[in-house]
Amino acid sequence: MTAKQHQVYDHYFFNESAYDYHDGGYVKLEEPDVPASRLNIPAILAPDQETDTDVWYTVTAQTGETQLLPGEKTKTWGYNQSLLGPTIVFESGKNYHVTLKNDLPELTTFHWHGLDVPGPYVDGGCHAPVYPGKPRKIDFTVNQPAATLWLHAHPCPLTGWDVWHGLATAVVVKDEHEAQLPLPRNYGVDDIPLILQDRRFDEHNQWDYDKDYDPDGTAGPTALINGTVNPYFDVTTQKLRLRILDGSNRREWRLHLSDDLEMAQIGSDGGLLPEPVYLTKLMLTCAERAEIVLDFEQYHPGDEVTLYSDDVPIMKFRIHEFKADPTPLPDHLADVDYPEVEDPNAPIHQVVMSGTDEKVEINGRKFGMMRIDDRQELGKAEYWDITNTNDCCGGMIHPYHTHGGSFKVVSRNGKAPYPNELGYKDTIGVNAGETVRVKMRFNYPGVFMYHCHIIEHEDGGMMAQLQVYTQDHPHKKYRLMDMDTLLQELAKERHCQPDELVIRSLEYYKEHGIDMC
């Protein structure tokens, strides 16, 4: 099948009966009544130092103010800037030395979502706090395919709070194979990240997370793309590569373009797909990524192409003069080789996601900070069945994410995965009433979290922990952050007593006497 002869998918693959707009607390997007603004393109983070083999970075979580709407600036958090952060670039095969600094008023963590690194401290989940004024250094080697990943805060039970305030940014991994393909890669010109988020602004242009909090996922009516409200992008090349991230706490993004312009999806969470998948409708659940290529050959200077989520316009592409580019996308992009399961009769790991609102659980339990819920031997691929027990006509799609690497989707309810799920994944939307089978291998030992990536669900307890062990150290002990210590530290930073802390995601734990340790 050539690039000129391909199937075009004209529907969202997920089951409509469980789309987020069926939820009673759904917040519909509204077209903002503000002037259009040029899309913010994040700068690329400059290294502190580099050699042929090693690179040093400093990443600082900080407070700030950002001009998002006319009038008052919005108080925001970001990495190395007031909101979101510069794009961080890693090259596969190099060693990285990262200084993590916290200039916030309270503790946070730095989670490298999708990066294949040891856990729990380098991975940056809830057991790797970085305290204000106390930098921490991590070292790791990047050894994975080119991909679009991201960095975000993960201080359970305040992940939703931190991400809502702005702690998220794009991470791009490069490798030699991807560099040889005829793909757009001139960053900021024909290769741009799109971080899709949503917020609600009050009368002073501020965000009030506790007021807007919803245990089924916090959302707002105003779309932000790379922190820009009502953005446009000036198209100066025939082909444009978009690295799209659903960076929302809750929202599913159902994307399509005016004129039903085709999107050629070339990559998903963990890297390139085996071959391009052509579609006119693309749905992303929380934390999923999709790399797509748009071809504006049929358009002329002065034309506009609009990007929609459902029926709401969220971004304009303004067409300018561009040089003709007849180069077709490759029919084959990458070999997706994933290790086979050595013992097909081995027990299958079970992840049962149940409930909605405050009653969310995994395998009938809420998250325990000190509890290890599953174990897997280092380097061995094993099957995992991810089940969503919500009713198909009254439940919701749960996006499942595992820390510690990428998995291969095997099936959905025993049938083939969606066509754009044949690459490496670390996040997968699971329909209500569905079981998704994946095979997973871990390349580093440690303790890793796995959870629903509706962030209020993970903060509210739909999360568990896995220990990846070696035969030499099958029961290695790690220093894990317990909830009492975390709350005491937060109370010091917020100048109150632990029992006076307002943490919306812990209210159900407290009301029902559930110990999060």
Side-chain angles (χ1 to χ4, degrees):
M1 183 177 290
T2 69
K4 293 184 179 180
Q5 298 172 330
H6 52 253
Q7 181 175 359
V8 179
Y9 296 93
D10 62 357
H11 59 281
Y12 303 114
F13 298 121
F14 292 90
N15 297 343
E16 190 277 339
S17 63
Y19 286 178
D20 57 358
Y21 57 59
H22 290 294
D23 183 81
Y26 177 69
V27 178
K28 180 178 172 56
L29 284 177
E30 300 172 1
E31 188 172 0
D33 184 21
V34 298
S37 298
R38 188 186 303 273
L39 176 72
N40 173 58
I41 307 295
I44 293 177
L45 180 65
D48 303 329
Q49 177 186 349
E50 61 182 322
T51 67
D52 290 341
T53 59
D54 290 69
V55 181
W56 287 258
Y57 282 128
T58 298
V59 181
T60 303
Q62 62 186 63
T63 63
E65 291 186 327
T66 309
Q67 191 75 62
L68 298 175
L69 296 175
E72 298 178 56
K73 291 184 177 181
T74 305
K75 292 180 173 59
T76 53
W77 292 359
Y79 296 117
N80 296 48
Q81 59 188 42
S82 67
L83 175 63
L84 302 179
T87 297
I88 303 171
V89 177
F90 295 136
E91 292 185 38
S92 190
K94 288 192 174 184
N95 307 310
Y96 288 88
H97 314 276
V98 184
T99 299
L100 306 172
K101 296 179 66 178
N102 181 0
D103 289 347
L104 302 171
E106 61 189 51
L107 66 85
T108 188
T109 77
F110 296 72
H111 170 49
W112 303 94
H113 184 124
L115 196 63
D116 196 353
V117 291
Y121 312 122
V122 177
D123 170 72
C126 65
H127 300 300
V130 179
Y131 299 99
K134 297 180 180 179
R136 189 164 66 88
K137 295 184 178 181
I138 58 173
D139 303 282
F140 54 88
T141 299
V142 174
N143 184 21
Q144 63 190 93
T148 301
L149 316 177
W150 61 309
L151 167 67
H152 66 82
H154 207 314
C156 179
L158 288 168
T159 303
W161 169 276
D162 276 24
V163 174
W164 188 264
H165 278 76
L167 291 180
T169 199
V171 174
V172 173
V173 175
K174 296 183 175 182
D175 71 5
E176 293 180 356
H177 170 73
E178 188 275 341
Q180 301 303 313
L181 296 175
L183 299 173
R185 63 174 59 82
N186 185 0
Y187 183 86
V189 177
D190 62 7
D191 182 356
I192 62 173
L194 293 185
I195 301 175
L196 307 183
Q197 297 179 310
D198 56 304
R199 297 289 186 273
R200 183 184 300 278
F201 294 85
D202 68 13
E203 64 274 17
H204 297 289
N205 292 345
Q206 303 306 310
W207 301 334
D208 189 335
Y209 178 77
D210 285 340
K211 181 178 179 181
D212 292 331
Y213 176 83
D214 184 332
D216 258 346
T218 304
T222 301
L224 287 88
I225 302 182
N226 296 352
T228 312
V229 178
N230 194 18
Y232 67 87
F233 178 77
D234 289 316
V235 176
T236 58
T237 58
Q238 181 180 319
K239 294 186 177 70
L240 179 64
R241 179 182 190 170
L242 304 177
R243 300 173 182 266
I244 307 175
L245 157 68
D246 183 341
S248 299
N249 287 40
R250 168 66 184 102
R251 187 174 302 279
E252 299 157 6
W253 295 85
R254 282 171 289 275
L255 305 174
H256 61 98
L257 292 150
S258 53
D259 303 326
D260 280 334
L261 179 63
E262 285 182 18
M263 297 175 270
Q265 185 172 348
I266 61 170
S268 58
D269 303 336
L272 295 171
L273 296 172
E275 60 185 37
V277 176
Y278 295 87
L279 28 74
T280 59
K281 297 183 186 300
L282 171 66
M283 176 168 153
L284 294 178
T285 63
C286 295
E288 284 191 297
R289 285 89 69 206
E291 294 187 32
I292 67 169
V293 173
L294 304 181
D295 190 334
F296 296 102
E297 180 182 18
Q298 63 181 300
Y299 294 94
H300 303 91
D303 290 344
E304 281 192 344
V305 176
T306 303
L307 177 65
Y308 292 86
S309 183
D310 292 329
D311 59 351
V312 179
I314 60 173
M315 181 175 171
K316 302 277 189 183
F317 296 95
R318 295 180 176 179
I319 311 300
H320 295 262
E321 290 279 359
F322 54 73
K323 183 180 178 180
D325 180 4
T327 307
L329 291 177
D331 290 330
H332 179 72
L333 295 168
D335 296 324
V336 180
D337 298 320
Y338 205 90
E340 294 299 324
V341 173
E342 295 180 19
D343 181 4
N345 297 316
I348 297 171
H349 300 264
Q350 300 293 325
V351 179
V352 178
M353 299 185 292
S354 61
T356 57
D357 294 307
E358 295 92 343
K359 297 182 179 180
V360 293
E361 297 175 328
I362 283 184
N363 293 344
R365 306 175 80 176
K366 284 190 172 291
F367 179 57
M369 295 275 282
M370 308 295 289
R371 189 180 71 234
I372 300 300
D373 300 280
D374 207 337
R375 291 165 51 81
Q376 182 166 324
E377 186 175 344
L378 177 70
K380 287 189 176 181
E382 298 182 357
Y383 288 121
W384 289 67
D385 278 357
I386 320 301
T387 299
N388 177 353
T389 64
N390 285 180
D391 179 77
C392 65
C393 298
M396 59 197 306
I397 296 168
H398 290 296
Y400 169 82
H401 168 57
T402 185
H403 294 214
S406 297
F407 50 74
K408 182 74 167 61
V409 183
V410 176
S411 63
R412 285 181 173 272
N413 272 355
K415 299 180 180 179
Y418 299 147
N420 60 347
E421 295 177 338
L422 302 182
Y424 302 110
K425 294 280 289 175
D426 58 56
T427 306
I428 185 77
V430 185
N431 290 298
E434 182 178 48
T435 294
V436 174
R437 174 165 293 183
V438 305
K439 56 180 176 179
M440 181 77 195
R441 182 185 74 172
F442 293 89
N443 299 313
Y444 293 98
V447 173
F448 298 98
M449 306 158 79
Y450 54 97
H451 54 82
C452 175
H453 216 289
I454 294 173
I455 300 182
E456 284 68 30
H457 280 182
E458 64 181 85
D459 278 347
M462 191 180 265
M463 184 156 61
Q465 295 186 116
L466 162 83
Q467 180 161 357
V468 178
Y469 66 91
T470 64
Q471 290 188 349
D472 292 340
H473 300 283
H475 298 286
K476 182 177 179 179
K477 298 298 182 182
Y478 294 87
R479 187 177 66 182
L480 303 181
M481 167 66 74
D482 65 273
M483 183 55 62
D484 289 342
T485 299
L486 185 147
L487 293 180
Q488 289 172 11
E489 291 294 334
L490 278 173
K492 290 179 186 177
E493 293 158 357
R494 295 188 178 185
H495 308 290
C496 66
Q497 296 299 315
D499 60 0
E500 297 173 333
L501 286 167
V502 176
I503 302 177
R504 297 296 306 276
S505 58
L506 288 186
E507 290 174 356
Y508 187 87
Y509 278 84
K510 295 172 69 174
E511 290 173 5
H512 294 267
I514 301 173
D515 185 357
M516 202 171 185
C517 290

